Amino acid sequence: MEPVFRKDLSHLTWDEVYARQVTRAPLVGEWMESLRLAAGDRVLEVGAGPGHVTLLLADRVGPGGHVYAVDRSSEALAHLERRQEERGIAHIERIAADAATLAPAGLRVDATLIAMVLHHADDPAGILRNMARPLAPEGLAVVAEFHPEGPCDLGPPQAHRLSPEQIQAWCEEAGFRTLGYRRQTPEHYIVIAQRHG
């Protein structure tokens, strides 16, 4: 019998979620390359959680850049804050909000990363629509998810996985054009999209 999938991660501690994020470290380099992230860039991360990927993004853009870490859990962001303070990183701004309803007025970014979060969301299409707004014209977004045809040895069960075709359709509806799709591992894939100018 398939285990119950808890979208809200309430069955895990944030340290356990952080440990899960660490296991995905081999995927992050390709996410950042696909976003063409460079020193000084401003990047928005949706579903930052306790922040392992956030810290890697901060290293990539350097102190002249800025990382906006959005998560609906203030407790998760408190874990990120602690790690920021331990490492003396000042250029991460934590935002506790639902990415589907966050009012991004005044927020302008060069790139957006939405990694391993849409299958947890109540309104994944709404997140893509809303998070297109602060992205600069021609700015890049990477959506990373678990492939429905993967072995399902980790991540959500098959019934809760989102197909690349669904992600691409939502991206198009949100004002993006799809630039590419790649399978990173048997379990993982990315969709690379660009906001229309």
Side-chain angles (χ1 to χ4, degrees), residues 143-194:
V143 181
E145 274 295 336
F146 291 93
H147 203 288
E149 295 173 5
C152 299
D153 293 331
L154 48 88
Q158 186 177 37
H160 293 274
R161 295 185 176 209
L162 302 168
S163 73
E165 296 78 15
Q166 179 64 79
I167 297 293
Q168 290 175 69
W170 284 335
C171 283
E172 297 289 334
E173 291 167 9
F176 292 99
R177 59 176 162 268
T178 301
L179 299 184
Y181 152 76
R182 284 199 292 277
R183 194 88 170 251
Q184 285 190 284
T185 73
E187 293 280 25
H188 306 94
Y189 71 89
I190 57 173
V191 170
I192 305 158
Q194 185 175 43

Coordinates of all heavy atoms in Angstrom, one line a residue, residues 143-194:
V143 N 12.5 25.3 -13.1 CA 11.5 24.6 -12.3 C 12.1 23.1 -12.2 O 12.3 22.5 -13.3 CB 10.1 24.6 -12.9 CG1 9.2 23.8 -12.0 CG2 9.6 26.0 -13.0
A144 N 12.4 22.7 -11.0 CA 12.9 21.3 -10.8 C 11.9 20.5 -10.1 O 11.3 20.9 -9.1 CB 14.2 21.3 -10.1
E145 N 11.7 19.3 -10.6 CA 10.6 18.4 -10.0 C 11.1 16.9 -10.1 O 12.1 16.6 -10.7 CB 9.3 18.6 -10.7 CG 8.5 19.8 -10.1 CD 8.0 19.5 -8.7 OE1 8.0 18.3 -8.2 OE2 7.8 20.5 -7.9
F146 N 10.2 16.1 -9.6 CA 10.4 14.6 -9.6 C 9.6 14.1 -10.8 O 8.4 14.4 -10.9 CB 9.9 13.9 -8.3 CG 10.8 14.3 -7.1 CD1 10.4 15.3 -6.3 CD2 11.9 13.5 -6.8 CE1 11.2 15.6 -5.2 CE2 12.7 13.8 -5.7 CZ 12.3 14.8 -4.9
H147 N 10.3 13.3 -11.6 CA 9.6 12.7 -12.8 C 8.6 11.6 -12.5 O 8.9 10.7 -11.7 CB 10.7 12.2 -13.8 CG 10.2 12.2 -15.2 ND1 9.3 11.3 -15.7 CD2 10.5 13.0 -16.3 CE1 9.0 11.5 -16.9 NE2 9.8 12.5 -17.3
P148 N 7.4 11.7 -13.1 CA 6.4 10.7 -12.8 C 6.8 9.3 -13.3 O 6.3 8.3 -12.8 CB 5.2 11.1 -13.7 CG 5.4 12.6 -13.9 CD 6.9 12.8 -13.9
E149 N 7.8 9.2 -14.2 CA 8.2 7.9 -14.7 C 9.5 7.4 -13.9 O 10.1 6.4 -14.3 CB 8.5 7.9 -16.2 CG 7.2 8.2 -17.0 CD 7.5 8.4 -18.5 OE1 8.6 8.2 -18.9 OE2 6.5 8.7 -19.2
G150 N 9.9 8.2 -12.9 CA 11.1 7.8 -12.1 C 10.8 6.5 -11.3 O 9.6 6.1 -11.1
P151 N 11.8 6.0 -10.7 CA 11.6 4.8 -9.9 C 10.9 5.0 -8.6 O 10.4 4.0 -7.9 CB 13.1 4.3 -9.6 CG 13.9 5.5 -9.8 CD 13.2 6.3 -10.9
C152 N 10.7 6.3 -8.2 CA 10.0 6.6 -6.9 C 10.7 6.0 -5.7 O 10.0 5.7 -4.7 CB 8.5 6.2 -7.0 SG 7.6 7.0 -8.3
D153 N 12.0 5.9 -5.7 CA 12.8 5.4 -4.6 C 12.9 6.6 -3.5 O 13.2 6.3 -2.4 CB 14.2 5.0 -5.0 CG 14.1 3.7 -5.8 OD1 13.1 2.9 -5.6 OD2 15.0 3.5 -6.7
L154 N 12.7 7.8 -4.0 CA 12.8 9.0 -3.1 C 11.8 10.0 -3.7 O 11.3 9.9 -4.8 CB 14.2 9.5 -3.0 CG 15.0 9.8 -4.3 CD1 14.7 11.1 -4.9 CD2 16.5 9.6 -4.0
G155 N 11.5 11.0 -2.8 CA 10.5 12.0 -3.3 C 9.1 11.5 -3.2 O 8.8 10.5 -2.6
P156 N 8.2 12.3 -3.7 CA 6.8 11.9 -3.6 C 6.4 10.7 -4.4 O 7.1 10.3 -5.3 CB 6.0 13.2 -4.1 CG 7.0 13.7 -5.1 CD 8.4 13.5 -4.6
P157 N 5.3 10.0 -4.0 CA 4.8 8.9 -4.7 C 4.4 9.3 -6.1 O 4.1 10.5 -6.3 CB 3.6 8.3 -3.9 CG 3.3 9.4 -3.0 CD 4.5 10.3 -2.8
Q158 N 4.3 8.4 -7.0 CA 4.0 8.7 -8.4 C 2.7 9.6 -8.6 O 2.7 10.5 -9.4 CB 3.9 7.4 -9.2 CG 3.7 7.7 -10.7 CD 3.7 6.4 -11.5 OE1 3.1 5.4 -11.1 NE2 4.3 6.3 -12.7
A159 N 1.7 9.3 -7.9 CA 0.4 10.0 -8.0 C 0.5 11.5 -7.7 O -0.3 12.3 -8.1 CB -0.6 9.3 -7.1
H160 N 1.6 11.9 -7.0 CA 1.7 13.3 -6.6 C 2.8 14.0 -7.4 O 3.1 15.1 -7.1 CB 2.1 13.4 -5.1 CG 0.9 13.0 -4.3 ND1 -0.1 13.8 -3.9 CD2 0.6 11.7 -3.7 CE1 -1.0 13.2 -3.1 NE2 -0.6 11.9 -3.0
R161 N 3.4 13.3 -8.4 CA 4.4 13.9 -9.2 C 3.8 14.7 -10.4 O 2.7 14.3 -10.9 CB 5.4 12.8 -9.7 CG 6.1 12.2 -8.6 CD 7.2 11.2 -9.0 NE 7.9 10.7 -7.9 CZ 9.2 10.3 -8.0 NH1 9.9 10.3 -9.1 NH2 9.8 9.9 -6.9
L162 N 4.5 15.7 -10.8 CA 4.0 16.6 -11.9 C 4.8 16.3 -13.2 O 6.0 16.3 -13.1 CB 4.1 18.1 -11.5 CG 3.4 18.4 -10.2 CD1 3.8 19.8 -9.7 CD2 1.9 18.4 -10.4
S163 N 4.1 16.1 -14.3 CA 4.8 15.8 -15.5 C 5.5 17.0 -16.1 O 5.0 18.2 -15.9 CB 3.8 15.3 -16.5 OG 3.0 16.3 -17.0
P164 N 6.5 16.9 -16.8 CA 7.2 18.0 -17.5 C 6.2 18.7 -18.4 O 6.3 20.0 -18.5 CB 8.3 17.3 -18.3 CG 8.5 16.0 -17.7 CD 7.3 15.6 -17.1
E165 N 5.3 18.0 -19.1 CA 4.4 18.6 -20.0 C 3.4 19.5 -19.2 O 3.1 20.6 -19.7 CB 3.6 17.5 -20.7 CG 4.4 16.7 -21.6 CD 5.2 15.6 -20.9 OE1 4.9 15.3 -19.8 OE2 6.1 15.0 -21.6
Q166 N 3.0 19.1 -18.0 CA 2.1 20.0 -17.2 C 2.9 21.2 -16.7 O 2.3 22.4 -16.8 CB 1.7 19.2 -15.9 CG 0.8 20.0 -15.0 CD -0.5 20.4 -15.7 OE1 -1.5 19.6 -15.8 NE2 -0.6 21.7 -16.1
I167 N 4.1 21.1 -16.3 CA 4.9 22.2 -15.9 C 5.1 23.2 -17.0 O 5.0 24.4 -16.9 CB 6.3 21.8 -15.3 CG1 6.2 20.9 -14.1 CG2 7.2 23.0 -15.1 CD1 5.7 21.6 -12.9
Q168 N 5.4 22.7 -18.2 CA 5.6 23.5 -19.4 C 4.3 24.3 -19.7 O 4.4 25.5 -20.1 CB 6.2 22.7 -20.6 CG 7.6 22.3 -20.3 CD 8.1 21.3 -21.4 OE1 8.3 21.8 -22.6 NE2 8.3 20.1 -21.1
A169 N 3.2 23.6 -19.7 CA 1.9 24.3 -20.0 C 1.6 25.4 -19.0 O 1.2 26.5 -19.4 CB 0.8 23.2 -19.9
W170 N 1.9 25.1 -17.7 CA 1.7 26.2 -16.7 C 2.6 27.3 -16.9 O 2.3 28.5 -16.7 CB 1.9 25.6 -15.3 CG 0.8 24.8 -14.8 CD1 -0.6 24.8 -15.1 CD2 0.8 23.8 -13.7 NE1 -1.3 23.9 -14.4 CE2 -0.5 23.3 -13.6 CE3 1.9 23.3 -13.0 CZ2 -0.8 22.3 -12.6 CZ3 1.6 22.3 -12.1 CH2 0.3 21.8 -11.9
C171 N 3.9 27.0 -17.3 CA 4.9 28.1 -17.6 C 4.4 29.0 -18.7 O 4.4 30.2 -18.7 CB 6.2 27.5 -17.9 SG 7.2 26.9 -16.5
E172 N 3.9 28.4 -19.8 CA 3.4 29.1 -20.9 C 2.2 30.0 -20.5 O 2.1 31.2 -20.9 CB 3.0 28.2 -22.1 CG 4.1 27.4 -22.6 CD 5.1 28.1 -23.5 OE1 4.7 29.2 -24.0 OE2 6.3 27.7 -23.6
E173 N 1.3 29.5 -19.7 CA 0.2 30.3 -19.2 C 0.6 31.4 -18.3 O -0.1 32.4 -18.2 CB -0.8 29.3 -18.4 CG -1.5 28.3 -19.3 CD -2.2 27.3 -18.5 OE1 -2.3 27.4 -17.2 OE2 -2.7 26.3 -19.1
A174 N 1.7 31.3 -17.7 CA 2.2 32.3 -16.7 C 3.0 33.4 -17.4 O 3.4 34.3 -16.7 CB 3.1 31.6 -15.6
G175 N 3.2 33.3 -18.7 CA 4.0 34.3 -19.4 C 5.4 34.0 -19.7 O 6.3 34.8 -19.9
F176 N 5.8 32.7 -19.6 CA 7.1 32.2 -20.0 C 7.1 31.5 -21.3 O 6.0 31.1 -21.8 CB 7.6 31.2 -18.9 CG 7.8 31.7 -17.6 CD1 6.9 31.5 -16.6 CD2 9.0 32.3 -17.3 CE1 7.1 32.0 -15.3 CE2 9.3 32.8 -16.0 CZ 8.3 32.6 -15.0
R177 N 8.2 31.4 -21.9 CA 8.4 30.5 -23.0 C 9.4 29.4 -22.6 O 10.4 29.8 -21.9 CB 8.9 31.2 -24.3 CG 10.2 32.0 -24.2 CD 10.6 32.5 -25.6 NE 11.6 33.6 -25.4 CZ 11.3 34.9 -25.3 NH1 10.1 35.3 -25.3 NH2 12.3 35.8 -25.1
T178 N 9.1 28.2 -22.9 CA 10.0 27.1 -22.5 C 11.2 27.1 -23.4 O 11.1 27.0 -24.6 CB 9.3 25.8 -22.5 OG1 8.1 25.9 -21.7 CG2 10.1 24.6 -22.1
L179 N 12.4 27.1 -22.7 CA 13.7 27.0 -23.5 C 14.2 25.6 -23.5 O 15.0 25.3 -24.4 CB 14.7 27.9 -22.9 CG 14.4 29.4 -22.8 CD1 15.6 30.2 -22.2 CD2 14.1 30.0 -24.2
G180 N 13.8 24.8 -22.6 CA 14.4 23.4 -22.6 C 13.8 22.6 -21.4 O 13.2 23.1 -20.5
Y181 N 14.1 21.3 -21.6 CA 13.7 20.3 -20.6 C 14.8 19.3 -20.5 O 15.3 18.9 -21.6 CB 12.3 19.7 -21.0 CG 12.2 18.3 -20.4 CD1 11.9 18.0 -19.1 CD2 12.3 17.2 -21.3 CE1 11.8 16.7 -18.6 CE2 12.2 15.9 -20.8 CZ 11.9 15.7 -19.4 OH 11.8 14.4 -18.9
R182 N 15.2 18.9 -19.3 CA 16.2 17.9 -19.2 C 15.9 17.0 -18.0 O 15.5 17.4 -17.0 CB 17.6 18.5 -19.0 CG 18.2 19.2 -20.2 CD 19.7 19.4 -20.0 NE 20.1 20.4 -19.1 CZ 20.1 21.7 -19.3 NH1 19.8 22.1 -20.5 NH2 20.5 22.5 -18.3
R183 N 16.2 15.7 -18.2 CA 16.1 14.7 -17.1 C 17.5 14.8 -16.5 O 18.5 14.5 -17.1 CB 15.9 13.4 -17.8 CG 15.4 12.3 -16.8 CD 13.9 12.3 -16.6 NE 13.5 11.1 -15.8 CZ 12.8 10.1 -16.4 NH1 12.5 10.2 -17.7 NH2 12.5 9.1 -15.6
Q184 N 17.6 15.1 -15.2 CA 18.8 15.2 -14.5 C 19.3 13.8 -14.0 O 20.5 13.5 -14.0 CB 18.7 16.2 -13.3 CG 18.7 17.6 -13.7 CD 18.9 18.5 -12.5 OE1 18.0 18.7 -11.8 NE2 20.1 19.1 -12.3
T185 N 18.3 13.1 -13.5 CA 18.6 11.7 -13.0 C 17.3 10.9 -13.4 O 16.3 11.5 -13.8 CB 18.8 11.6 -11.5 OG1 17.5 11.9 -10.8 CG2 19.8 12.7 -11.0
P186 N 17.3 9.6 -13.1 CA 16.0 8.9 -13.3 C 14.9 9.5 -12.5 O 13.7 9.4 -13.0 CB 16.4 7.5 -12.9 CG 17.8 7.3 -13.1 CD 18.4 8.7 -12.8
E187 N 15.2 10.1 -11.4 CA 14.1 10.7 -10.5 C 13.8 12.1 -10.9 O 12.7 12.6 -10.7 CB 14.5 10.6 -9.0 CG 14.6 9.2 -8.5 CD 13.2 8.6 -8.1 OE1 12.2 9.0 -8.7 OE2 13.2 7.7 -7.2
H188 N 14.8 12.9 -11.3 CA 14.7 14.4 -11.3 C 14.7 14.9 -12.7 O 15.4 14.4 -13.6 CB 15.8 15.0 -10.5 CG 16.0 14.5 -9.1 ND1 16.8 13.5 -8.8 CD2 15.4 14.9 -8.0 CE1 16.7 13.2 -7.5 NE2 15.9 14.1 -7.0
Y189 N 14.0 16.1 -12.9 CA 14.1 16.8 -14.2 C 14.0 18.3 -13.9 O 13.6 18.7 -12.8 CB 13.0 16.4 -15.2 CG 11.6 16.8 -14.8 CD1 11.1 18.0 -15.3 CD2 10.8 16.0 -14.0 CE1 9.8 18.4 -14.9 CE2 9.5 16.4 -13.7 CZ 9.0 17.6 -14.2 OH 7.7 18.0 -13.8
I190 N 14.4 19.1 -14.9 CA 14.2 20.5 -14.9 C 13.6 21.0 -16.2 O 13.8 20.4 -17.2 CB 15.6 21.3 -14.7 CG1 16.6 21.0 -15.7 CG2 16.1 21.0 -13.3 CD1 17.8 21.8 -15.7
V191 N 12.8 22.1 -16.0 CA 12.3 22.8 -17.1 C 12.9 24.2 -17.0 O 12.9 24.8 -15.9 CB 10.7 22.9 -17.0 CG1 10.2 23.9 -18.1 CG2 10.1 21.6 -17.3
I192 N 13.5 24.7 -18.1 CA 14.1 26.0 -18.2 C 13.2 26.9 -19.0 O 12.8 26.6 -20.1 CB 15.5 25.9 -18.8 CG1 16.4 24.9 -18.1 CG2 16.1 27.3 -18.8 CD1 17.5 24.4 -19.0
A193 N 12.8 28.0 -18.4 CA 11.8 28.9 -19.0 C 12.4 30.4 -18.9 O 13.2 30.7 -18.1 CB 10.5 28.8 -18.3
Q194 N 11.9 31.2 -19.9 CA 12.3 32.6 -19.9 C 11.0 33.5 -20.0 O 10.1 33.2 -20.7 CB 13.2 32.8 -21.2 CG 13.7 34.2 -21.3 CD 14.7 34.3 -22.5 OE1 14.4 33.8 -23.6 NE2 15.8 35.0 -22.3

